[in-house]
């Protein structure tokens, strides 16, 4: 339509100029000097309007191109609530991006985690909640409840096509094979404008101020900080004779030549990728995402992971890429094993002192048999739609005061 208007305007101008010129030629001897000036003025105005219209068309085209090019391939932002009420914070303090993956069948876990973070900090937190198509409406209705309406969040749809050729189906892996498990590999795309971010699984509760975790110092050249398995407080309290469960050999197949060529000691302590702090500037500089994808593809082709994988399938590529190239977080910021029978060995005092509780393992706090489910349930908000419900066989009391 704009092009048509442009052509019509241009044609009208030519007709007008031709008409005036014809009149001038036929009556030039009768025309006064004043009339000539008027004609020149009219022609000048017509040309000015023509140029102005042409420039407007160019500007409109430019704006349309900028809008159409603003999308992110593979990860599609769904909605953002930037103007929700915020806690009073120091104006010099930067916002804290927290990334959580939220699948439909575990949505209650993400809600409880978000609620615990929001109520234990005075910092400005933005939650980047990664979901699959179909979960957004359910999540949005849950977040609109009175308890959570003050949070700031963005919902991002994860495109499973990103994982094509990088993941091999394995029914024995269960939840660890679900697409959202790999969202942590794509942090710079999820949070494109941030220099630093926190990632955490949906089966956690935060009891400390998230600002302390965010301020974890990372050494120069390190793109992330994890909690190491061998040195964690939870491991020392719970695990006895764990064997290879917390070493590299528990995750990687050292019989494979490609693994041996990396010259990584099999006895090296592994780390837990369920909670970590990322320096996204360094992550981008080192192309961490591309490195992780490389090892995912190689595993599909050559089977590089241990057949008796000690933990999540996301752990092996992270162990390779971050071998002796990661910082550590305070172990009290990832007190784990609450999702296994070992978690029952924790004392109530130790659980109360933890900054972050992690129900990694087969038993989740929204199920029947996990440890300290009452601590988790304190932060759970019932689903207003009724789709998600807790599974409870009996009331468990932890006697935490």
């Amino acid at each position: 339509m704009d092009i048509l208007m442009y052509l019509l305007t241009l044609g009208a101008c030519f007709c007008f100029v031709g008409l005036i010129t014809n009149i001038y030629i036929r009556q030039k001897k009768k025309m006064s000097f004043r009339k000539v000036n008027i004609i020149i003025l009219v022609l000048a105005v017509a040309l000015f309007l023509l140029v102005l219209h042409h420039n407007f068309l160019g500007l409109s085209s430019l704006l349309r191109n900028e809008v159409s090019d603003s999308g992110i391939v593979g990860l599609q932002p769904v909605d953002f609530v930037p103007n929700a009420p915020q806690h009073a914070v120091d104006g010099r303090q930067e916002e804290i991006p927290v990334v959580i993956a939220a699948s439909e069948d575990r949505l209650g876990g993400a809600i409880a985690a978000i609620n615990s973070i929001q109520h234990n900090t005075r910092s400005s937190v933005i939650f980047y909640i990664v979901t699959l198509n179909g979960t957004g409406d359910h999540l949005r209705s849950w977040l609109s409840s009175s308890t959570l309406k003050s949070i700031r969040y963005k919902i991002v749809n994860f495109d499973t096509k990103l994982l094509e050729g990088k993941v091999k189906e394995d029914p024995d892996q269960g939840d660890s094979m679900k697409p959202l498990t790999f969202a942590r590999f794509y942090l710079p795309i999820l949070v494109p404008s941030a220099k630093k971010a926190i990632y955490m699984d949906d089966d956690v509760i935060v009891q400390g101020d998230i600002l302390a975790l965010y301020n974890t110092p990372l050494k120069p050249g390190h793109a992330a900080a994890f909690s190491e398995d061998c040195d964690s407080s939870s491991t020392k309290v719970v695990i006895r004779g764990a064997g290879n469960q917390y070493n590299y050999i528990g995750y990687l197949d050292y019989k494979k030549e490609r693994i041996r060529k990396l010259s990584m000691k099999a006895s090296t302590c592994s780390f837990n990728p369920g909670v970590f702090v990322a320096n996204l500037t360094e992550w981008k500089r080192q192309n961490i995402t591309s490195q992780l994808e490389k090892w995912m593809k190689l595993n599909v082709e050559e089977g590089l992971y241990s057949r008796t994988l000690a933990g999540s399938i996301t752990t092996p590529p992270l162990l390779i890429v971050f071998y002796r190239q990661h910082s550590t977080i305070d172990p009290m910021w990832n007190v784990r094993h609450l999702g296994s029978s070992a978690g029952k060995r924790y004392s109530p005092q130790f659980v109360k002192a933890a900054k972050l509780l992690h129900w990694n393992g087969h038993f989740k706090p929204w199920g029947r048999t996990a440890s300290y489910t009452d601590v988790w349930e304190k932060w759970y908000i019932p689903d207003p739609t009724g789709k998600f419900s807790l599974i409870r066989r009996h009331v468990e009391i932890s006697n935490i005061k």
Side-chain angles (χ1 to χ4, degrees):
M1 183 62 71
D2 286 338
I3 296 175
L4 180 59
M5 287 297 297
Y6 173 76
L7 293 175
L8 289 173
T9 303
L10 186 60
C13 286
F14 276 120
C15 291
F16 181 76
V17 171
L19 178 62
I20 295 300
T21 303
N22 185 52
I23 293 172
Y24 176 73
I25 292 172
R26 295 170 62 180
Q27 300 184 6
K28 63 180 179 178
K29 293 184 179 180
K30 301 178 182 179
M31 190 176 297
S32 66
F33 183 77
R34 182 170 178 273
K35 289 182 179 180
V36 171
N37 285 341
I38 292 175
I39 293 173
I40 293 174
L41 179 61
V42 171
L43 288 172
V45 170
L47 289 173
F48 172 77
L49 291 174
L50 180 62
V51 172
L52 183 63
H53 184 68
H54 175 74
N55 289 339
F56 176 76
L57 285 175
L59 178 59
S60 297
S61 177
L62 176 61
L63 291 174
R64 283 197 301 272
N65 289 338
E66 289 179 349
V67 171
S68 64
D69 291 341
S70 63
I72 299 174
V73 175
L75 297 162
Q76 306 157 4
V78 176
D79 70 7
F80 187 38
V81 181
N83 297 317
Q86 300 178 45
H87 296 292
V89 295
D90 185 339
R92 295 169 296 176
Q93 181 193 312
E94 60 184 306
E95 294 173 327
I96 301 175
V98 176
V99 179
I100 298 179
S103 61
E104 181 71 24
D105 59 328
R106 298 165 61 108
L107 210 52
I111 292 292
I114 290 169
N115 191 30
S116 69
I117 294 169
Q118 183 73 4
H119 280 78
N120 285 304
T121 187
R122 293 180 61 82
S123 299
S124 178
V125 179
I126 300 180
F127 296 96
Y128 291 80
I129 310 171
V130 190
T131 67
L132 297 176
N133 285 327
T135 303
D137 290 340
H138 185 190
L139 177 59
R140 198 175 295 108
S141 65
W142 212 332
L143 292 172
S144 65
S145 68
S146 58
T147 307
L148 295 173
K149 65 181 180 182
S150 66
I151 73 165
R152 304 176 69 216
Y153 67 91
K154 177 181 286 186
I155 299 176
V156 182
N157 278 339
F158 187 80
D159 189 348
T160 56
K161 291 180 180 179
L162 288 169
L163 303 178
E164 289 181 356
K166 305 179 185 75
V167 178
K168 182 167 55 178
E169 292 293 334
D170 185 351
D172 295 333
Q173 289 297 323
D175 286 348
S176 68
M177 287 298 296
K178 293 185 176 180
L180 290 178
T181 305
F182 301 93
R184 72 198 79 193
F185 290 0
Y186 299 92
L187 288 182
I189 305 176
L190 293 168
V191 196
S193 60
K195 296 180 181 179
K196 193 175 182 182
I198 296 171
Y199 171 85
M200 58 180 60
D201 286 342
D202 56 11
D203 53 356
V204 306
I205 287 297
V206 174
Q207 300 184 134
D209 189 337
I210 197 71
L211 178 62
L213 178 60
Y214 185 73
N215 286 336
T216 298
L218 274 71
K219 295 179 180 177
H222 287 183
F226 302 91
S227 178
E228 295 201 345
D229 291 320
C230 305
D231 298 330
S232 71
S233 298
S234 52
T235 300
K236 290 179 180 179
V237 171
V238 174
I239 304 301
R240 297 290 183 272
N244 295 328
Q245 188 174 357
Y246 300 106
N247 298 324
Y248 268 47
I249 198 172
Y251 294 88
L252 299 167
D253 188 351
Y254 275 78
K255 294 180 181 178
K256 298 296 174 65
E257 182 180 2
R258 190 178 294 277
I259 295 298
R260 292 198 306 271
K261 283 183 175 181
L262 295 174
S263 299
M264 301 183 301
K265 289 185 177 180
S267 60
T268 302
C269 181
S270 58
F271 53 77
N272 180 272
V275 178
F276 63 90
V277 181
N279 178 337
L280 298 182
T281 301
E282 194 64 35
W283 190 294
K284 295 173 188 175
R285 190 187 71 80
Q286 297 183 31
N287 294 318
I288 296 295
T289 296
S290 296
Q291 292 189 56
L292 293 169
E293 289 182 325
K294 166 192 169 182
W295 288 104
M296 291 167 69
K297 291 176 182 177
L298 287 173
N299 176 64
V300 170
E301 297 168 2
E302 303 177 25
L304 302 178
Y305 304 165
S306 171
R307 293 184 179 179
T308 56
L309 195 61
S312 170
I313 197 170
T314 60
T315 305
L318 287 166
L319 293 180
I320 295 172
V321 173
F322 286 102
Y323 179 69
R324 293 185 175 177
Q325 288 293 322
H326 67 274
S327 299
T328 57
I329 65 174
D330 182 339
M332 294 302 283
W333 272 102
N334 193 358
V335 172
R336 44 201 183 275
H337 309 302
L338 288 164
S340 67
S341 57
K344 299 184 184 297
R345 302 179 196 173
Y346 290 135
S347 70
Q349 293 75 24
F350 180 71
V351 170
K352 184 178 181 180
K355 302 297 183 183
L356 183 148
L357 298 171
H358 190 179
W359 278 265
N360 63 313
H362 294 294
F363 310 126
K364 299 305 176 185
W366 49 86
R368 289 192 179 94
T369 55
S371 304
Y372 292 100
T373 55
D374 57 318
V375 178
W376 177 88
E377 198 166 340
K378 181 175 73 170
W379 300 107
Y380 174 71
I381 298 170
D383 183 1
T385 70
K387 295 179 182 178
F388 185 96
S389 58
L390 305 182
I391 302 173
R392 291 289 183 261
R393 189 165 50 193
H394 59 274
V395 178
E396 297 179 358
I397 301 175
S398 64
N399 297 320
I400 294 183
K401 299 179 180 178

